[in-house]
Amino acid sequence: MSDTNRFKRLRFWWRYLRRNTPWDTNRTPPEIVALAERLPVGTALDLGCGTGTNVIYLAGRGWRALGVDFAPNAIAMARRKARRAGVEAFAQFYVADVTRLAWLEASVYAPFTFAMDIGCLHALSAEEQRAYVAQLARLTAPEATYALYAHQRRHQSEFAFTPEYVRALFAPHFALLSAAEGVDSSSGYRSAWYELRRSAR
Ligand SMILES: C[S@@+](CC[C@H](N)C(=O)[O-])C[C@H]1O[C@@H](n2cnc3c(N)ncnc32)[C@H](O)[C@@H]1O
């Protein structure tokens, strides 16, 4: 892990410790609920899953769902929440960096039919974003759905997550199906929900 990533992980760890996590609402966003109602039940991957709210929601609906996050205290909370919800058999959580997921290819849940990222990818450097997309392409099934929520302001990389940027970043592995732009309620940043589909190979 790079020094920058170590520092970022420490910052998130500290925020989860202090509960300074305005994004952690314990509510699954309506965009994910709508997808879960539309898609056939399958296997799901949540990249940067935080305290696991969405993995637990999907596991409760019969999905086999797996979340990864590099903040160990967020993953500990996610596991506790899954036990309390009685879904620990279908909800797996791992402490891991989303830019290094080769080990996950051996998971019984892979290839995933649905993947999501709510607020993680947009803070990676341009190089990390490319590594993330290449891995996601290997970890997802043909025609898998990928839902992305990203701020349209520059974070670590020099790029903002506009529809044009997202389309180019994920090509040729994923096609951009829709973009719903708005304003993030916790930060006030312009942001968007994107839905992409993995190519059929
Ligand atoms: C804004 S929070 C969103 C968390 C969760 N998706 C939610 O909606 O509650 C971003 C999350 O991404 C995680 N994260 C950021 N960079 C990461 C990386 N390189 N690898 C794994 N997790 C990362 C953070 O620890 C944090 O939990």
Side-chain angles (χ1 to χ4, degrees):
M1 189 181 277
S2 67
D3 285 350
T4 319
N5 254 3
R6 252 185 228 112
F7 176 70
K8 261 171 60 184
R9 184 170 65 165
L10 192 63
R11 223 176 43 207
F12 273 110
W13 173 83
W14 179 246
R15 292 191 68 166
Y16 280 109
L17 188 74
R18 303 301 306 264
R19 301 281 203 269
N20 177 15
T21 49
W23 60 81
D24 192 17
T25 60
N26 278 313
R27 279 197 313 272
T28 294
E31 290 78 2
I32 297 298
V33 172
L35 281 170
E37 285 171 356
R38 201 187 82 204
L39 297 172
V41 169
T43 53
L45 173 64
D46 187 353
L47 296 158
C49 65
T51 66
T53 302
N54 303 311
V55 167
I56 293 164
Y57 166 76
L58 289 171
R61 293 182 61 93
W63 289 68
R64 304 268 189 277
L66 189 153
V68 295
D69 199 290
F70 67 0
N73 47 355
I75 291 295
M77 283 188 245
R79 289 180 179 144
R80 277 200 299 276
K81 279 166 59 174
R83 269 197 302 279
R84 277 204 301 271
V87 298
E88 69 270 39
F90 303 116
Q92 295 188 1
F93 294 100
Y94 294 96
V95 178
D97 186 330
V98 296
T99 65
R100 290 163 188 263
L101 293 178
W103 59 273
L104 202 45
E105 286 176 42
S107 153
V108 288
Y109 289 4
F112 296 89
T113 59
F114 177 40
M116 74 180 107
D117 181 316
I118 304 176
C120 179
L121 175 66
H122 63 198
L124 303 183
S125 70
E127 192 187 337
E128 290 169 338
Q129 289 173 22
R130 284 193 295 275
Y132 171 114
V133 172
Q135 284 178 164
L136 186 63
R138 283 198 301 274
L139 286 166
T140 44
E143 305 200 343
T145 296
Y146 170 63
L148 171 68
Y149 178 74
H151 291 162
Q152 294 186 322
R153 101 190 230 279
R154 291 174 177 80
H155 283 269
Q156 295 274 313
S157 83
E158 63 212 273
F159 304 107
F161 273 73
T162 59
E164 298 70 36
Y165 181 69
V166 170
R167 185 179 288 110
L169 176 65
F170 283 90
H173 307 294
F174 291 84
L176 179 60
L177 300 186
S178 67
E181 298 180 86
V183 174
D184 186 272
S185 56
S186 70
S187 65
Y189 300 141
R190 283 197 62 73
S191 59
W193 278 97
Y194 295 105
E195 183 181 337
L196 296 98
R197 176 165 311 135
R198 177 81 177 94
S199 60
R201 276 178 239 228

